[in-house]
Structure formats: C-alpha cells, structure tokens
Amino acid sequence: MDFLSEKNFTAMALIVFSLIFLSFFPHIYASIDEHTFLKNALLLRNGSISEPNPELACRSNIFTAQGYVGGQFVGKSVFLLPFTFFGLDAVMFSGLVIHLINAILFFLILKKLGIDPRFTVLYTFFPVMLWETRTLYSELLVLTAFLAAFYFYIKDSKFSATASGFLFGLAAVVRYDAVVGFAAFAAPLLFRDRKKLFEMLAGFIPVVLLILMFNTLAYSGPLNAGYGSGVSLVSSLANINPVTLLAYLGILLILIPGLLASPLLSSKKNYLPQFILISIAYLWLTSRFTDITAFPLTIDTFLTARLRYLVPLIGLLLIPYSELLDKIFGMLKTGKNILFAASLLVLAIGAVFASSVHANFTDSRFETFSQIRSNVPQDALLIGSSDNCIYSIAANLERTRYMNIVPEYDLGPHGKGISLNERFSGDTYFMDLAYSNRSSNTSQRQNNTNAERKFMQDFIENNSGNLELVFETDRPNSLSIYKWKG
C-alpha cells in the first residue's frame, strides 16, 4: 500500500496532526512565561529588550539603566518576532511550525540511523509534544536545536561537527540550561575523537560569546541572566528535590514504559554515553528547579504540563525508543504496515480528545480575555493581581497599560517605590478574577495565587465607595471589573 511508504505515511501523519491542531486552534496563551516571551518579542521589534514604562512592563523583575527587563530567555522571543507582524493567531500558530520542523528532523535522524522513519508518528502525537505545540513555551524550540545538532553530530561530513556545535549553542540561546546538551555530546569526544570535539567547539564558542554579550547589555553582567546570577545558580544545583526526581524517574520508566532505559537497549552504542549524560543532567536540573508536588497531580498533567522542562530530553530519548519499538514491531506476527496504520488511527483519536480538552481550557481563557478587552478601554490603566497581566496584550498585539495591585510582585524590588494611588484617575479600572477550573485546586501553587488575589479583594472591599462596577460574570470564569470614581 503506497500511502504506507515511509514518506507518504509520515506526511499523512503530519497532515492529520495539523488538521487536528487547526480544528481546535488555541487562540490565546495562558501563562506568565508565555506572556513574557511574547512581550519581549514585541520589544525586540523596536530594537530593545527593556521597557522604561512600568505600566507596560508587567512581570519584569529586573531593573537596569535601560528600564525593566523580563526574566525569560531571549531565544524564543527572537523566533516569535516575525509572527508578531500578523497578530495573536499567527503567534499561536508558531507552535505548529516548530512541531512540523521537529518532525522532519526526527524523520531524517531515524532514516540516517537505519530505524524505520515511520516512527516519526511517535514524536508527532506524543502527548507533551502536542501540548507544547499549543503553547508559547520555549522547550519545543530547544528540541529543534537539539535534533538539528544531533543530526549533524551523526552525519560524518565536512563541517558537520561545527554545525552541530553551533546548533547546540542556539539551544542555549533559547534556554541557558540547554548548555548541558552540548556538554553531554561533547564530553565523550574528549576520549574518543578530539578533532571532532575541537570542531564542535569552533561552532559553539561564538554563540557563547554572543550570549555573554547579550547578558551584559540586558542584565548588566556577562554571567547574569533573567533568573539571577549564573554563579549563584550553579552553586545551588546540589539542592535537588528528591520527590520530584523519583516522580520523573517513575514517569519516564513506568508511565512511559522503558523510555529512559531505551538507550541501554539500543544497538547504537556509540551514542550511549551521550544519552546517559544528558539524561542525568536534565533529571538533575529539573529536580532542582521544579517541585512536582506544588501542582495538581493527575495522569494527564503527568504526561503533559509536568513534563514541560523535560521536552528536550524526551525528544532525544524517543530516537532510541523508536528503535526499541521497531524491534518489537518486527517480532509481532501482525505486519508492520497494519501496525502503523492502526497506530496512526489510535494516536489521531487520542490527539482529538487531548486537543479538545485543551481547547476548552484556552477557549474559556479567550472568552475572559474578550470580556476584559470589551469593557476596559484600550488606553485605560488596568490594575489586577497574580497573573492577570497576560490579558494586557490586545489581539492586534498592542500592549496596554497594566499594573499589579502589589507592584513589586510584577516589577521586583524596584516596584516597592511605586505609589499606585498617584496613578488612579477616571480611566483606571480594577479587575477581580478567579478561574472556575481552579476552584477546587488546593496545590501550593494555587494557594500562592489565592494569596495574591486576596490583595485585590481587600482593596475592592476597602474602597467600595470609590469604585463603580462596570461588568460582572461567573461564566466562563468569575470576573468583576470596576472603574475608579475618585
């Protein structure tokens, strides 16, 4: 059956995935991190990464001589920049672009390694990949650089090692912690192939110098980053969360049966040290920066949102995992063509279900976004709490004035010197928002959010005589908007 040939089957899988994505299109992002990536992309369009106006700088905790700087790494924002010229929907479409590029790279790698490239379907419909495709998070873009770097790493041709080092460097531009990718693949060469190591360094070092230069300009120091001093970050790496580490080991070994162990079973032993090193590095880093118990613990989040930081590792592990599944498929009596056809059908059905669930979530956020933008004039100052500033960028990507009811929560220590009262006028609006899908959430993360929102609720109660209710609803979320009467 010709449509089950390597190229045709993979192309069909990508078309099916794309149609599902477009059918359940995510019209808005839902987190502060995503907001900051987009905001920084809009700033880069004007040739800067800093914002001098605190009313346009929400969640920018660093203050430099140039203004407020957001904490997210710049690489994802650079990628988003061309999409920003076409509005919010184009920005949200960018995730599909990244995903399709990754799938093509995955196909080329499997073909190069002699693994049936039709297992690209495994990457294409893998739950956490599907979820990240529908967001503005940066890890999927790190994986793009990792896959491209690995492709050139295994391609024995002139300048391929230099290209590999350069691409590993680009991964670090997207997320600085992705430097462990280069380290994991370069370290074994110290004993095996020093010529290749030096060639990789020739591609990697210029990118590192570029990062240090950017840090100096944006964060006032070559070793500084949006999350603080590089020195302090490195010194704190020993403080891992053992519960988180054990949880991730369980997910990658049991919930996704054998994924983490697949390099040990691979016939491509030349790359075993690299896979072991990068697995150790990512598990260690993720256990250092994440507390898995701070979030709701459900099976679906274990396979999606909770695996966010491990996306670059999982994407690479799916390569030896595909070889393992290829062997299993070959041992079964059922023909491989039938198995692949059945796999595509089952995975597509799963993708429809997962996409519809996520679409219901983003649609509710988009409806709340529309309610806010319909009741707050474009040039007004909106004051909110917690992560409400995600609604401060209009659908046409015009940034609107916004401040947190507790300024230092969004602007860092410098925000303590800002007096909100001095900014109140007839065009100042206040919003009290609570998400319905989190009403029964008792995680530590939600408790922190509730504590932040309490400041707004107390303000409204204490200033009821100066506030005029202009909008109120409990669908799809509880939202009240007030105008300052003064």
XYZ file of all heavy atoms in Angstrom, residues 299-384:
667
model
N -3.022 12.126 36.009
C -2.355 11.381 34.945
C -2.122 12.255 33.722
O -1.058 12.229 33.102
C -3.183 10.140 34.547
C -3.152 9.106 35.683
C -2.625 9.517 33.272
C -1.797 8.493 35.941
N -3.138 13.055 33.331
C -2.993 13.858 32.124
C -1.897 14.913 32.274
O -1.118 15.143 31.343
C -4.325 14.504 31.732
C -4.850 15.435 32.811
O -4.658 15.134 33.998
O -5.458 16.469 32.459
N -1.784 15.544 33.448
C -0.723 16.543 33.620
C 0.642 15.883 33.735
O 1.650 16.475 33.372
C -0.971 17.423 34.855
O -1.017 16.597 36.032
C -2.268 18.189 34.731
N 0.694 14.647 34.245
C 1.961 13.914 34.302
C 2.521 13.699 32.897
O 3.733 13.665 32.697
C 1.779 12.553 34.984
C 1.982 12.594 36.469
C 1.242 11.775 37.297
C 2.917 13.439 37.049
C 1.423 11.803 38.676
C 3.102 13.477 38.425
C 2.354 12.658 39.243
N 1.642 13.537 31.910
C 2.084 13.279 30.543
C 2.199 14.551 29.715
O 2.643 14.493 28.569
C 1.115 12.311 29.862
C 1.159 10.864 30.375
C 0.051 10.042 29.733
C 2.516 10.228 30.103
N 1.779 15.689 30.280
C 1.829 16.942 29.513
C 2.571 18.041 30.287
O 3.790 18.123 30.227
C 0.412 17.401 29.137
O -0.386 17.494 30.333
C -0.249 16.424 28.187
N 1.826 18.851 31.006
C 2.401 20.044 31.622
C 3.555 19.751 32.568
O 4.533 20.496 32.631
C 1.310 20.830 32.356
N 3.461 18.656 33.337
C 4.512 18.358 34.301
C 5.801 17.903 33.627
O 6.850 17.880 34.242
C 4.051 17.299 35.301
C 2.868 17.700 36.146
C 3.186 18.769 37.177
N 3.530 20.061 36.651
C 2.675 20.966 36.221
N 1.403 20.718 36.235
N 3.089 22.135 35.784
N 5.721 17.534 32.351
C 6.916 17.117 31.615
C 7.511 18.245 30.791
O 8.440 18.023 30.011
C 6.584 15.932 30.694
C 6.279 14.599 31.378
C 5.998 13.529 30.327
C 7.431 14.163 32.265
N 6.984 19.440 30.972
C 7.407 20.573 30.139
C 8.923 20.729 30.077
O 9.511 20.825 29.000
C 6.770 21.853 30.693
C 7.340 23.127 30.097
C 6.868 24.356 30.842
N 7.705 25.504 30.537
C 7.681 26.654 31.186
N 6.830 26.823 32.188
N 8.480 27.635 30.852
N 9.588 20.745 31.220
C 11.022 21.022 31.235
C 11.849 19.865 30.689
O 13.031 20.030 30.389
C 11.478 21.353 32.660
C 10.856 22.615 33.201
C 9.910 22.557 34.225
C 11.183 23.869 32.684
C 9.319 23.712 34.720
C 10.600 25.027 33.167
C 9.666 24.939 34.186
O 9.073 26.085 34.668
N 11.239 18.689 30.563
C 11.956 17.527 30.052
C 11.733 17.303 28.556
O 12.229 16.324 28.001
C 11.520 16.273 30.818
C 11.961 16.188 32.280
C 11.396 14.941 32.930
C 13.476 16.206 32.396
N 11.025 18.191 27.895
C 10.738 18.032 26.467
C 12.013 17.823 25.638
O 12.056 16.921 24.784
C 9.921 19.230 25.938
C 10.019 19.356 24.417
C 8.459 19.075 26.338
N 13.082 18.626 25.835
C 14.284 18.394 25.024
C 14.888 17.005 25.235
O 15.364 16.379 24.282
C 15.246 19.490 25.500
C 14.360 20.568 26.040
C 13.219 19.823 26.672
N 14.867 16.522 26.483
C 15.382 15.190 26.768
C 14.482 14.123 26.159
O 14.958 13.181 25.504
C 15.500 14.979 28.283
C 15.819 13.545 28.739
C 17.173 13.101 28.214
C 15.745 13.426 30.253
N 13.178 14.238 26.374
C 12.242 13.232 25.867
C 12.329 13.140 24.347
O 12.314 12.038 23.772
C 10.809 13.554 26.316
C 10.674 13.377 27.829
C 9.789 12.679 25.592
C 9.355 13.855 28.396
N 12.430 14.278 23.678
C 12.531 14.274 22.218
C 13.725 13.481 21.728
O 13.639 12.751 20.721
N 14.845 13.590 22.434
C 16.031 12.810 22.058
C 15.858 11.338 22.422
O 16.252 10.446 21.661
C 17.270 13.379 22.744
C 17.770 14.739 22.237
C 18.974 15.212 23.046
C 18.147 14.656 20.750
N 15.281 11.058 23.598
C 15.092 9.666 24.019
C 14.136 8.913 23.095
O 14.208 7.684 22.987
C 14.550 9.619 25.447
C 15.533 9.988 26.565
C 14.824 9.980 27.916
C 16.726 9.042 26.588
N 13.245 9.629 22.419
C 12.326 8.966 21.503
C 13.052 8.355 20.305
O 12.485 7.509 19.596
C 11.257 9.948 21.017
C 10.178 10.320 22.038
C 9.242 11.379 21.465
C 9.385 9.089 22.479
N 14.307 8.749 20.093
C 15.094 8.160 18.997
C 15.441 6.709 19.320
O 15.070 5.799 18.559
C 16.344 9.006 18.714
C 15.941 10.404 18.231
C 17.231 8.321 17.669
C 17.079 11.399 18.182
N 16.148 6.416 20.437
C 16.379 5.000 20.763
C 15.085 4.253 21.103
O 14.998 3.036 20.892
C 17.326 5.063 21.968
C 17.147 6.422 22.554
C 16.845 7.306 21.386
N 14.097 4.977 21.613
C 12.808 4.334 21.915
C 12.146 3.852 20.629
O 11.513 2.792 20.605
C 11.906 5.331 22.637
C 10.777 4.705 23.417
C 11.033 3.783 24.431
C 9.450 5.055 23.172
C 10.001 3.220 25.173
C 8.409 4.509 23.904
C 8.689 3.585 24.903
O 7.661 3.026 25.634
N 12.297 4.603 19.555
C 11.761 4.192 18.258
C 12.452 2.921 17.774
O 11.808 2.033 17.187
C 11.957 5.314 17.231
O 11.201 6.454 17.575
N 13.764 2.825 18.024
C 14.476 1.600 17.648
C 13.949 0.407 18.433
O 13.759 -0.689 17.884
C 15.977 1.768 17.890
C 16.772 0.543 17.451
C 18.229 0.607 17.863
O 18.623 1.586 18.533
O 18.979 -0.331 17.513
N 13.685 0.625 19.736
C 13.146 -0.446 20.575
C 11.786 -0.897 20.062
O 11.510 -2.108 19.937
C 13.042 0.044 22.020
C 12.402 -0.908 23.036
C 13.205 -2.197 23.149
C 12.280 -0.219 24.405
N 10.918 0.061 19.731
C 9.594 -0.285 19.210
C 9.692 -0.937 17.836
O 8.880 -1.803 17.489
C 8.719 0.963 19.144
C 8.333 1.586 20.490
C 7.489 2.831 20.276
C 7.563 0.582 21.350
N 10.686 -0.520 17.063
C 10.895 -1.121 15.742
C 11.199 -2.605 15.885
O 10.687 -3.452 15.123
C 12.048 -0.405 15.043
C 12.048 -0.637 13.535
O 11.088 -1.244 13.019
O 13.009 -0.212 12.873
N 12.019 -2.941 16.879
C 12.330 -4.351 17.137
C 11.080 -5.111 17.570
O 10.843 -6.251 17.132
C 13.408 -4.455 18.211
C 14.774 -3.932 17.785
C 15.756 -3.996 18.949
C 17.118 -3.433 18.547
N 18.075 -3.411 19.698
N 10.285 -4.490 18.442
C 9.055 -5.138 18.922
C 8.078 -5.352 17.779
O 7.473 -6.425 17.641
C 8.419 -4.302 20.047
C 9.338 -4.283 21.276
C 7.044 -4.841 20.412
C 8.872 -3.353 22.379
N 7.919 -4.339 16.921
C 7.031 -4.463 15.763
C 7.481 -5.622 14.877
O 6.658 -6.357 14.318
C 7.016 -3.163 14.957
C 5.977 -2.168 15.412
C 5.601 -2.089 16.737
C 5.383 -1.307 14.505
C 4.658 -1.178 17.164
C 4.427 -0.377 14.916
C 4.068 -0.316 16.250
N 8.804 -5.761 14.724
C 9.337 -6.816 13.866
C 9.118 -8.207 14.429
O 9.096 -9.200 13.678
N 8.947 -8.310 15.735
C 8.741 -9.606 16.390
C 7.276 -10.042 16.359
O 6.966 -11.224 16.563
C 9.228 -9.538 17.841
C 10.733 -9.340 17.970
S 11.232 -8.857 19.654
C 10.515 -10.183 20.622
N 6.382 -9.100 16.129
C 4.958 -9.424 16.144
C 4.533 -10.053 14.822
O 5.095 -9.763 13.763
C 4.135 -8.165 16.414
C 4.403 -7.475 17.769
C 3.623 -6.176 17.858
C 4.029 -8.404 18.933
N 3.553 -10.916 14.870
C 3.090 -11.609 13.669
C 2.333 -10.671 12.736
O 2.313 -10.838 11.521
C 2.212 -12.794 14.067
C 2.970 -13.902 14.805
C 2.052 -15.067 15.131
C 2.823 -16.182 15.857
N 1.957 -17.344 16.190
N 1.672 -9.670 13.343
C 0.932 -8.705 12.525
C 1.910 -7.894 11.689
O 2.954 -7.471 12.172
C 0.120 -7.751 13.418
O -0.676 -8.523 14.304
C -0.765 -6.859 12.570
N 1.610 -7.670 10.432
C 2.505 -6.921 9.561
C 2.727 -5.501 10.052
O 1.844 -4.895 10.652
N 3.926 -4.947 9.775
C 4.263 -3.600 10.241
C 3.332 -2.550 9.641
O 2.983 -1.570 10.299
C 5.725 -3.268 9.917
C 6.731 -3.999 10.797
C 8.152 -3.638 10.446
C 8.500 -2.238 10.879
N 9.941 -1.930 10.678
N 2.931 -2.749 8.385
C 2.041 -1.775 7.757
C 0.721 -1.654 8.523
O 0.211 -0.558 8.755
C 1.748 -2.171 6.308
C 2.906 -1.822 5.385
O 3.850 -1.158 5.790
N 2.820 -2.286 4.145
N 0.184 -2.807 8.914
C -1.071 -2.793 9.665
C -0.873 -2.136 11.026
O -1.715 -1.362 11.490
C -1.607 -4.235 9.832
C -1.958 -4.823 8.464
C -2.810 -4.261 10.762
C -2.409 -6.270 8.515
N 0.269 -2.430 11.650
C 0.554 -1.843 12.955
C 0.687 -0.320 12.866
O 0.181 0.406 13.725
C 1.836 -2.447 13.533
C 1.739 -3.915 13.995
C 3.112 -4.447 14.367
C 0.790 -4.032 15.190
N 1.352 0.153 11.830
C 1.496 1.602 11.679
C 0.161 2.268 11.370
O -0.150 3.339 11.903
C 2.516 1.924 10.578
C 3.933 1.924 11.057
C 4.838 0.981 10.610
C 4.366 2.872 11.974
C 6.158 0.971 11.054
C 5.677 2.886 12.427
C 6.578 1.925 11.963
N -0.638 1.644 10.523
C -1.956 2.204 10.200
C -2.829 2.266 11.444
O -3.503 3.277 11.708
C -2.628 1.365 9.113
N -2.801 1.189 12.236
C -3.587 1.162 13.469
C -3.069 2.187 14.471
O -3.848 2.857 15.165
C -3.542 -0.244 14.078
N -1.740 2.334 14.531
C -1.136 3.305 15.457
C -1.569 4.722 15.113
O -1.916 5.506 16.003
C 0.392 3.203 15.407
O 0.835 1.939 15.839
N -1.559 5.042 13.820
C -1.960 6.383 13.405
C -3.414 6.646 13.776
O -3.752 7.739 14.258
C -1.755 6.550 11.902
C -2.202 7.896 11.308
C -1.517 9.064 12.011
C -1.941 7.932 9.800
N -4.271 5.647 13.583
C -5.684 5.816 13.900
C -5.874 6.058 15.397
O -6.575 6.994 15.801
C -6.468 4.576 13.467
C -7.965 4.575 13.799
C -8.666 5.733 13.099
C -8.588 3.235 13.406
N -5.231 5.220 16.224
C -5.373 5.348 17.675
C -4.784 6.675 18.159
O -5.403 7.380 18.981
C -4.686 4.168 18.394
C -4.633 4.410 19.899
C -5.405 2.869 18.084
N -3.612 7.031 17.662
C -2.957 8.273 18.084
C -3.762 9.496 17.650
O -3.847 10.488 18.386
C -1.543 8.344 17.516
C -0.537 7.342 18.104
C 0.768 7.369 17.311
C -0.269 7.655 19.571
N -4.362 9.435 16.469
C -5.172 10.563 15.994
C -6.403 10.747 16.870
O -6.780 11.883 17.206
C -5.577 10.333 14.535
N -7.041 9.629 17.239
C -8.211 9.713 18.131
C -7.800 10.317 19.466
O -8.483 11.183 20.024
C -8.844 8.322 18.321
C -9.459 7.839 17.009
C -9.896 8.360 19.425
C -9.944 6.401 17.049
N -6.655 9.876 19.996
C -6.152 10.438 21.245
C -5.846 11.912 21.127
O -6.118 12.698 22.051
N -5.293 12.317 19.972
C -4.960 13.726 19.761
C -6.209 14.594 19.688
O -6.219 15.730 20.165
C -4.135 13.882 18.482
N -7.270 14.059 19.076
C -8.538 14.795 19.023
C -9.065 15.027 20.441
O -9.479 16.143 20.791
C -9.579 14.030 18.179
C -10.966 14.631 18.365
C -9.187 14.052 16.711
N -9.039 13.991 21.238
C -9.522 14.113 22.615
C -8.677 15.107 23.409
O -9.211 16.018 24.057
C -9.505 12.748 23.300
C -9.848 12.803 24.763
C -11.162 13.001 25.178
C -8.854 12.692 25.731
C -11.480 13.073 26.528
C -9.155 12.767 27.080
C -10.470 12.955 27.484
N -7.352 14.944 23.371
C -6.462 15.830 24.132
C -6.567 17.271 23.658
O -6.588 18.215 24.467
C -5.017 15.343 24.016
N -6.667 17.471 22.348
C -6.766 18.824 21.803
C -8.083 19.485 22.184
O -8.128 20.689 22.466
C -6.627 18.790 20.274
O -5.367 18.290 19.890
N -9.167 18.689 22.216
C -10.466 19.256 22.582
C -10.472 19.672 24.051
O -11.037 20.711 24.405
C -11.586 18.255 22.308
O -11.470 17.107 23.141
N -9.833 18.856 24.906
C -9.745 19.215 26.324
C -8.964 20.511 26.499
O -9.391 21.419 27.224
C -9.080 18.072 27.131
C -8.771 18.537 28.554
C -9.979 16.849 27.162
N -7.825 20.606 25.815
C -7.021 21.821 25.938
C -7.724 23.011 25.299
O -7.628 24.140 25.785
C -5.640 21.618 25.302
C -4.674 22.718 25.595
N -4.384 23.712 24.687
C -3.947 23.020 26.706
C -3.505 24.556 25.207
N -3.229 24.158 26.427
N -8.445 22.767 24.204
C -9.180 23.856 23.548
C -10.268 24.415 24.463
O -10.515 25.628 24.490
C -9.781 23.365 22.239
N -10.947 23.545 25.198
C -11.951 24.023 26.153
C -11.314 24.950 27.186
O -11.899 25.961 27.583
C -12.616 22.837 26.857
C -13.555 22.075 25.951
O -14.060 22.609 24.970
N -13.779 20.799 26.262
N -10.109 24.585 27.601
C -9.370 25.409 28.556
C -8.990 26.766 27.952
O -9.272 27.821 28.529
C -8.122 24.645 29.007
C -7.114 25.478 29.743
C -7.352 25.907 31.040
C -5.909 25.817 29.156
C -6.422 26.675 31.728
C -4.969 26.577 29.828
C -5.226 27.019 31.112
N -8.377 26.760 26.768
C -7.951 28.028 26.153
C -9.147 28.862 25.693
O -9.089 30.091 25.734
C -7.003 27.774 24.967
O -7.620 26.891 24.024
C -5.689 27.169 25.451
N -10.221 28.192 25.265
C -11.412 28.944 24.850
C -12.005 29.717 26.024
O -12.475 30.855 25.861
C -12.464 28.000 24.272
C -12.099 27.509 22.881
O -11.148 28.042 22.298
O -12.757 26.564 22.399
N -11.984 29.106 27.209
C -12.507 29.814 28.380
C -11.637 31.011 28.719
O -12.135 32.080 29.095
C -12.606 28.864 29.578
O -11.327 28.537 30.090
N -10.323 30.858 28.555
C -9.415 31.981 28.785
C -9.622 33.078 27.736
O -9.582 34.274 28.044
C -7.961 31.504 28.756
C -7.580 30.576 29.900
C -7.672 31.285 31.248
N -7.323 30.403 32.342
C -6.113 30.292 32.873
N -5.122 31.023 32.384
N -5.881 29.472 33.868
N -9.849 32.659 26.498
C -10.041 33.643 25.437
C -11.348 34.408 25.627
O -11.420 35.615 25.341
C -10.039 32.957 24.065
C -10.035 33.917 22.909
C -8.899 34.654 22.611
C -11.175 34.099 22.143
C -8.895 35.557 21.544
C -11.177 34.991 21.081
C -10.031 35.725 20.788
N -12.382 33.723 26.117
C -13.644 34.415 26.380
C -13.466 35.450 27.490
O -13.986 36.570 27.405
C -14.737 33.417 26.755
C -16.111 34.054 26.900
C -17.216 33.045 27.097
O -16.974 31.835 26.900
O -18.337 33.462 27.461
N -12.721 35.090 28.539
C -12.425 36.049 29.606
C -11.606 37.207 29.057
O -11.855 38.371 29.394
C -11.649 35.347 30.744
O -12.518 34.375 31.353
C -11.200 36.343 31.796
N -10.641 36.904 28.211
C -9.841 37.938 27.550
C -10.733 38.903 26.776
O -10.582 40.134 26.873
C -8.831 37.250 26.624
C -8.111 38.164 25.681
C -7.112 39.024 26.126
C -8.399 38.154 24.327
C -6.435 39.858 25.249
C -7.733 38.968 23.429
C -6.745 39.828 23.894
N -11.691 38.364 26.032
C -12.599 39.206 25.239
C -13.486 40.058 26.138
O -13.767 41.232 25.822
C -13.473 38.324 24.335
O -12.678 37.565 23.449
N -13.927 39.504 27.252
C -14.746 40.266 28.195
C -13.963 41.448 28.774
O -14.494 42.557 28.903
C -15.218 39.341 29.319
C -16.243 38.308 28.882
C -16.455 37.218 29.918
O -15.659 37.063 30.851
N -17.523 36.439 29.764
N -12.712 41.209 29.098
C -11.875 42.278 29.648
C -11.641 43.362 28.610
O -11.830 44.553 28.873
C -10.532 41.705 30.147
C -10.755 40.767 31.327
C -9.572 42.832 30.539
C -9.544 39.945 31.692
N -11.266 42.960 27.423
C -10.935 43.938 26.385
C -12.187 44.705 25.922
O -12.083 45.842 25.462
C -10.271 43.238 25.195
C -8.945 42.570 25.577
C -7.713 43.432 25.373
N -7.785 44.766 25.911
C -7.252 45.128 27.071
N -6.657 44.255 27.846
N -7.314 46.381 27.457
N -13.376 44.100 26.062
C -14.615 44.774 25.661
C -15.074 45.801 26.694
O -15.828 46.721 26.353
C -15.737 43.750 25.451
O -15.429 42.865 24.407
N -14.635 45.666 27.921
C -15.118 46.544 28.988
C -14.065 47.484 29.556
O -14.388 48.328 30.387
C -15.694 45.688 30.130
C -16.993 45.011 29.749
O -18.054 45.630 29.782
N -16.913 43.751 29.362
N -12.844 47.340 29.109
C -11.771 48.243 29.525
C -11.234 48.949 28.291
O -10.712 48.296 27.383
C -10.633 47.463 30.230
C -9.513 48.421 30.637
C -11.154 46.718 31.444
N -11.361 50.272 28.187
C -10.873 50.997 27.016
C -9.398 50.731 26.762
O -8.615 50.485 27.687
C -11.122 52.459 27.391
C -12.237 52.412 28.388
C -12.014 51.152 29.170
N -9.031 50.799 25.496
C -7.664 50.459 25.099
C -6.623 51.330 25.788
O -5.530 50.875 26.106
C -7.528 50.593 23.573
C -6.192 50.157 23.008
C -6.004 48.649 23.028
O -6.942 47.899 23.261
N -4.787 48.199 22.785
N -6.928 52.582 26.020
C -5.932 53.493 26.601
C -6.045 53.616 28.117
O -5.373 54.439 28.746
C -6.052 54.881 25.969
C -7.446 55.479 26.141
O -8.356 54.743 26.579
O -7.619 56.678 25.840
N -6.897 52.791 28.744
C -7.082 52.849 30.197
C -5.953 52.112 30.915
O -5.232 51.310 30.325
C -8.427 52.236 30.580
N -5.825 52.404 32.203
C -4.899 51.664 33.061
C -5.688 50.572 33.770
O -6.640 50.848 34.500
C -4.246 52.598 34.092
C -3.419 51.911 35.188
C -2.235 51.156 34.587
C -2.947 52.932 36.222
N -5.295 49.329 33.568
C -5.956 48.194 34.198
C -5.088 47.711 35.357
O -3.882 47.498 35.189
C -6.158 47.072 33.188
C -6.769 45.767 33.717
C -8.180 46.015 34.256
C -6.787 44.697 32.624
N -5.681 47.525 36.503
C -4.958 47.035 37.676
C -5.541 45.684 38.080
O -6.754 45.537 38.230
C -5.036 48.039 38.838
C -4.331 49.338 38.427
C -4.399 47.465 40.096
C -4.361 50.423 39.466
N -4.672 44.704 38.218
C -5.101 43.356 38.547
C -4.205 42.733 39.587
O -3.495 43.433 40.323
